[in-house]
Amino acid sequence: MELGLELTERAGVAVIAVTGEVDVASAPRLREQIVSVVSDGAPRIVCDLDGVEFLDSTGLGVLVGALKRCRTHGSELVLVCNQSAILKVFEITGLLQVFEIHKTVEAAVAAG
Amino acid sequence: VAATIELEFPARTEYLSLVRAVVGTVAGHGPPLEPLRVNDLCLAVSEACANAIDAYNDEGRAGAPVRVRLAVDADRIQVEVSDLAGGFDPDAVPADPTAHVSRERGLGLPLMRILTDELQVVSTEDGTAVCMVMLGGRRR
């Protein structure tokens, strides 16, 4: 399924709902979306991966790059993910310890 | 009796989604694999194909053929991804995926090692063949 990106705002937090497949072909679009939100000065960004069906190493790299960019700009990037297939990719690459990952968007927004 | 399915696609990233769909479907006709392990195989094959595309791109040969050969029988599914690009030294790639995270590249091969039951990489200046095996019924 093609990558879908939907940007909304909840209680002053930018929420990017990502759906479909994040791979080497589509990941640049996710990068552009996050870069744009960071440039707009969002203090906290929630990247909701619950609708993601596939995530490859390039998609992971984009998220790591986004995390670094956020830190440089003094904003926070947190993730939402419940899917074992996607979480497994974070686990085996040691990224579960690097990212703040919540079970729901509500929790991710509220934790800020 | 083993069944063999082969496909060849142009080295462009927009075909990866199609390759994963084929691998996922073929895996459903092979040995009993848990859904998570089918996903592991799709990811491993996708990474191998992405590396093949990268290798062609490095030589200015976008769209050159990448071959994917799937062999399924009752006990195992074997997938070989091959290209005719210039090759690389697999031993020079650190096996630990966490070593690559900060660089945002080079994760593919370590991921393939972890996700599959068997992995063999043969790379020469005439091309690279990555052979991955998933064993049916095994839990990880």
Side-chain angles (χ1 to χ4, degrees):
Chain A
M1 198 178 107
E2 206 168 309
L3 176 71
L5 298 168
E6 190 181 81
L7 175 64
T8 55
E9 194 188 307
R10 291 202 201 184
V13 175
V15 179
I16 303 169
V18 189
T19 53
E21 298 182 316
V22 184
D23 68 0
V24 61
S26 64
R29 283 184 50 220
L30 175 61
R31 180 190 291 118
E32 285 166 22
Q33 174 73 81
I34 297 175
V35 165
S36 154
V37 174
V38 175
S39 303
D40 287 346
R44 186 171 171 87
I45 300 161
V46 173
C47 202
D48 177 7
L49 304 178
D50 234 16
V52 170
E53 295 168 356
F54 179 82
L55 178 72
D56 77 355
S57 67
T58 305
L60 269 183
V62 163
L63 290 172
V64 171
L67 185 67
K68 287 184 200 162
R69 177 176 285 268
C70 283
R71 285 175 177 164
T72 306
H73 286 73
S75 52
E76 295 173 298
L77 176 72
V78 298
L79 307 180
V80 173
C81 187
N82 271 309
Q83 295 190 66
S84 46
I86 304 296
L87 287 171
K88 180 174 181 180
V89 185
F90 281 91
E91 185 193 343
I92 61 182
T93 50
L95 288 172
L96 278 186
Q97 284 77 43
V98 174
F99 284 98
E100 179 183 330
I101 304 179
H102 293 273
K103 287 195 184 304
T104 64
V105 171
E106 288 71 23
V109 169
Chain B
V1 178
T4 301
I5 294 105
E6 290 188 30
L7 63 149
E8 186 177 295
F9 70 97
R12 298 186 200 281
T13 56
E14 64 257 40
Y15 290 101
L16 290 175
S17 183
L18 173 66
V19 172
R20 292 192 296 269
V22 171
V23 172
T25 303
V26 171
H29 291 268
L33 285 183
E34 293 168 40
L36 254 184
R37 304 213 63 223
V38 173
N39 191 77
D40 289 349
L41 180 63
C42 288
L43 176 53
V45 173
S46 191
E47 295 289 342
C49 291
N51 282 353
I53 293 169
D54 261 354
Y56 278 131
N57 281 342
D58 286 347
E59 298 177 356
R61 295 169 68 194
V66 180
R67 285 206 181 88
V68 182
R69 183 178 181 278
L70 301 106
V72 290
D73 63 30
D75 304 322
R76 55 195 258 141
I77 175 164
Q78 177 175 315
V79 186
E80 186 178 282
V81 175
S82 55
D83 64 63
L84 303 174
F88 70 106
D89 178 7
D91 294 331
V93 181
D96 178 5
T98 60
H100 297 269
V101 163
S102 60
R103 288 193 286 123
E104 298 168 35
R105 275 203 65 170
L107 258 175
L109 190 60
L111 273 182
M112 287 178 239
R113 280 193 208 288
I114 292 172
L115 294 170
T116 59
D117 290 327
E118 293 169 23
L119 177 83
Q120 189 184 21
V121 182
V122 177
S123 192
T124 70
E125 60 189 18
D126 298 321
T128 299
V130 178
C131 185
M132 293 162 275
V133 174
M134 294 296 242
L135 303 174
R138 184 175 147 193
R139 289 179 176 271
R140 290 165 72 97

